[in-house]
Amino acid sequence: MLANIVTFDYKNKTMLLAYIAKEMHNDQTYTYTYGYYIDKIANYLEKVGFKTFDPIKLGDYFISRKIFTKKSNEISFAHSCFYYFFLARRMQDDRDFYNDVVNPNNFYKYDRVIDYYSGLTRKDDHLLAILYQEFKKYFEPAKPIYDEIDADDFFTNITSQKNKFIPLVEKMDMNKVVANKPNETIVEKHIQEVSNERLSRITDEINNITYLTPDQFIVIMSRLLRNLDGTESVQLKTEIYSEIIKNTMIFTIAIKNKLATYANSHQGQLPPCYDKVKNVELFFRFMPYAVQTSLYEFMGTTKLCQVFENKLKNDFREGKSDIEKFFSIGLLWDTNNLANTKMMKTFIKSVGKNSARDYITFKLYYNYMYKVKSGSAEEDEYLSLLSSLKSKRYPLSLIKQNMINSDLKKIKKEREENKR
């Protein structure tokens, strides 16, 4: 304890780095000349009365520890995450800066700072209350979209011809699914490719956000709900999560409608930035699936499973659309899959003949192919769920499901024997 009094300890270093990050923010720059950088350190030491410490030694120490990089005569944080992390630490010690960040007119400019800050503090009822109120207010004008649109029909019957919708699972050959399950080498290669693709999307840039967009606000609230896990009200968490899903649906419907309008006036083509989309109808149909997968990146934690489950139970009770229910069952499954088998079975039993059935089919199929070990009890669970989905089209669905499962056991046995 005495050593902390006579040395420039970890806490002192952290406060100094937070001070430098805040100074850079005030100066609207992310790069200082070396001399100006040392002057900032000297200014801080003077403010706190630390006359015995050498600003040059401290400045060079931070560079040697790779917190800052020095290129020629210019100094900057080595990574943008360092800059945002230390701004978040400054929020903890500087009430004026905190108030500036949470100001309803400014908060969106600090989305990454808020992300780090909420992850550090884990509980801030004041911040949560302010942003939640702003979130509701922001989407209030678009609420009629949620009230008036039948999401199940909107994301199922894409074209005006209203072709009869046939769920993917009805065309799925379960015997081939089992027989063609990839081996561990292929699975490992696929997982590595997915991991590399995600890493390639990570940028090291400083955000310069000038206005708030709906998707940005949804991400901010999703991260906030995930990070502030110390909030002592499951009811409030469920309420906020429900608002996130409702507003996510509003945003998804609005984007789909805007893109469809464009496509209708451009011979069925989407804007140039969507040039990789080959099947426009399928793209529209699976938009909620893609959005749910994105939400998992921001809210994927077992600490929210009770919240997801609460919302799903409310959806069943209130007769919400299958698309809306899918967001919660999808997050539950992505977060803790087979631990939520009971809820999944309830969803499968109730889901209508719409795109939500395709979403859950694809999610179960993908996990079965790439996340479940062959010959395991988990494989049997997944096959049982897929076969129950497939048998929904038959009047005596349970009898049909048992027939499918019996055939699958034979195929599995043959597959394992062929491996030997």
Side-chain angles (χ1 to χ4, degrees):
M1 193 69 177
L2 182 61
N4 291 343
I5 297 175
V6 298
T7 63
F8 202 82
D9 62 18
Y10 172 80
K11 181 65 174 177
N12 294 131
K13 294 185 182 78
T14 300
M15 289 190 292
L16 170 54
L17 290 166
Y19 172 82
I20 295 172
K22 175 59 166 42
E23 288 296 292
M24 284 185 168
H25 169 74
N26 291 345
D27 293 338
Q28 298 183 350
T29 184
Y30 311 107
T31 302
Y32 281 157
T33 63
Y34 178 76
Y36 197 55
Y37 162 70
I38 297 301
D39 287 344
K40 289 293 182 182
I41 296 175
N43 290 343
Y44 177 80
L45 294 175
E46 183 178 348
K47 283 176 179 288
V48 296
F50 291 175
K51 295 183 179 180
T52 58
F53 295 98
D54 186 344
I56 295 177
K57 286 184 178 179
L58 284 171
D60 289 345
Y61 170 81
F62 292 141
I63 294 170
S64 71
R65 304 304 295 177
K66 301 190 185 305
I67 296 171
F68 291 99
T69 57
K70 183 180 181 183
K71 296 180 180 178
S72 184
N73 193 43
E74 293 188 335
I75 302 293
S76 60
F77 278 102
H79 301 284
S80 64
C81 59
F82 293 171
Y83 170 72
Y84 290 115
F85 172 81
F86 287 112
L87 276 180
R89 290 303 299 259
R90 184 68 184 185
M91 273 185 73
Q92 293 180 302
D93 300 325
D94 185 338
R95 198 65 189 178
D96 289 338
F97 181 52
Y98 173 93
N99 290 333
D100 185 51
V101 171
V102 304
N103 185 310
N105 296 319
N106 289 337
F107 71 89
Y108 61 89
K109 302 173 186 176
Y110 298 98
D111 61 337
R112 287 182 66 184
V113 179
I114 290 172
D115 184 24
Y116 280 99
Y117 169 80
S118 56
L120 285 168
T121 59
R122 309 284 287 278
K123 186 179 187 298
D124 188 325
D125 295 343
H126 177 68
L127 171 64
L128 187 60
I130 289 176
L131 293 195
Y132 180 41
Q133 290 305 314
E134 289 301 312
F135 189 58
K136 290 191 291 184
K137 190 190 307 181
Y138 182 88
F139 281 93
E140 182 62 30
K143 191 174 181 292
I145 294 174
Y146 175 83
D147 295 331
E148 297 169 7
I149 297 293
D150 178 348
D152 292 343
D153 178 70
F154 189 73
F155 288 106
T156 301
N157 300 307
I158 304 300
T159 62
S160 58
Q161 284 78 18
K162 297 268 186 181
N163 295 326
K164 184 179 179 181
F165 173 74
I166 302 175
L168 292 174
V169 72
E170 292 186 9
K171 297 178 280 187
M172 183 181 288
D173 187 331
M174 293 296 295
N175 292 343
K176 287 184 178 180
V177 169
V178 173
N180 296 331
K181 191 177 189 320
N183 59 39
E184 291 184 12
T185 301
I186 295 175
V187 170
E188 289 175 4
K189 181 182 178 182
H190 173 77
I191 292 173
Q192 187 61 55
E193 289 173 350
V194 171
S195 177
N196 290 342
E197 192 276 330
R198 285 178 177 171
L199 289 172
S200 70
R201 288 190 274 120
I202 298 175
T203 63
D204 195 29
E205 299 175 352
I206 301 293
N207 292 354
N208 287 300
I209 299 169
T210 55
Y211 60 93
L212 180 63
T213 61
D215 53 330
Q216 182 197 4
F217 209 163
I218 290 168
V219 170
I220 290 173
M221 288 304 301
S222 298
R223 287 170 170 167
L224 202 62
L225 184 63
R226 176 197 64 194
N227 292 346
L228 296 180
D229 53 17
T231 302
E232 297 173 5
S233 174
V234 176
Q235 182 179 349
L236 176 60
K237 289 180 180 180
T238 303
E239 181 185 325
I240 293 173
Y241 168 69
S242 298
E243 195 72 18
I244 290 172
I245 296 304
K246 181 178 75 174
N247 293 338
T248 297
M249 289 187 64
I250 289 172
F251 172 69
T252 308
I253 290 169
I255 290 297
K256 187 259 185 182
N257 198 50
K258 186 174 182 179
L259 290 175
T261 300
Y262 180 96
N264 287 335
S265 61
H266 290 78
Q267 299 180 319
Q269 299 298 308
L270 295 177
C273 57
Y274 293 91
D275 61 335
K276 291 183 179 180
V277 175
K278 304 303 179 185
N279 187 323
V280 175
E281 183 177 346
L282 200 61
F283 171 76
F284 284 152
R285 185 169 286 146
F286 268 80
M287 282 181 73
Y289 181 92
V291 173
Q292 181 273 314
T293 302
S294 296
L295 280 181
Y296 173 67
E297 293 186 28
F298 308 118
M299 285 196 290
T301 169
T302 54
K303 294 178 181 179
L304 285 176
C305 280
Q306 183 61 60
V307 171
F308 301 152
E309 187 173 330
N310 288 349
K311 159 72 172 155
L312 187 55
K313 288 178 178 178
N314 290 340
D315 288 350
F316 281 120
R317 188 163 49 248
E318 297 168 10
K320 299 292 187 181
S321 69
D322 289 338
I323 299 289
E324 182 162 353
K325 293 171 192 167
F326 168 75
F327 278 98
S328 296
I329 191 62
L331 285 167
L332 273 171
W333 201 257
D334 290 340
T335 303
N336 214 16
N337 55 74
L338 287 170
N340 299 292
T341 299
K342 184 178 179 180
M343 292 300 294
M344 178 60 81
K345 287 180 177 178
T346 301
F347 180 79
I348 289 173
K349 186 177 180 179
S350 69
V351 68
K353 199 170 184 178
N354 54 56
S355 289
R357 198 186 297 191
D358 278 359
Y359 304 160
I360 213 64
T361 298
F362 187 79
K363 191 172 288 291
L364 290 172
Y365 172 80
Y366 180 83
N367 283 12
Y368 170 75
M369 297 298 276
Y370 295 106
K371 297 184 179 181
V372 175
K373 189 174 181 180
S374 297
S376 65
E378 288 80 6
E379 181 179 16
D380 292 336
E381 289 274 10
Y382 269 92
L383 290 175
S384 177
L385 292 168
L386 282 168
S387 63
S388 66
L389 259 176
K390 187 171 181 62
S391 63
K392 279 180 68 70
R393 64 180 292 194
Y394 299 97
L396 300 175
S397 59
L398 184 58
I399 295 175
K400 182 62 179 179
Q401 183 181 345
N402 289 335
M403 291 171 62
I404 294 172
N405 287 337
S406 178
D407 290 340
L408 293 179
K409 286 180 181 179
K410 295 177 184 177
I411 299 296
K412 277 179 60 184
K413 185 177 180 181
E414 292 175 4
R415 183 193 66 194
E416 296 304 316
E417 288 177 350
N418 291 334
K419 287 182 179 179
R420 298 189 186 121

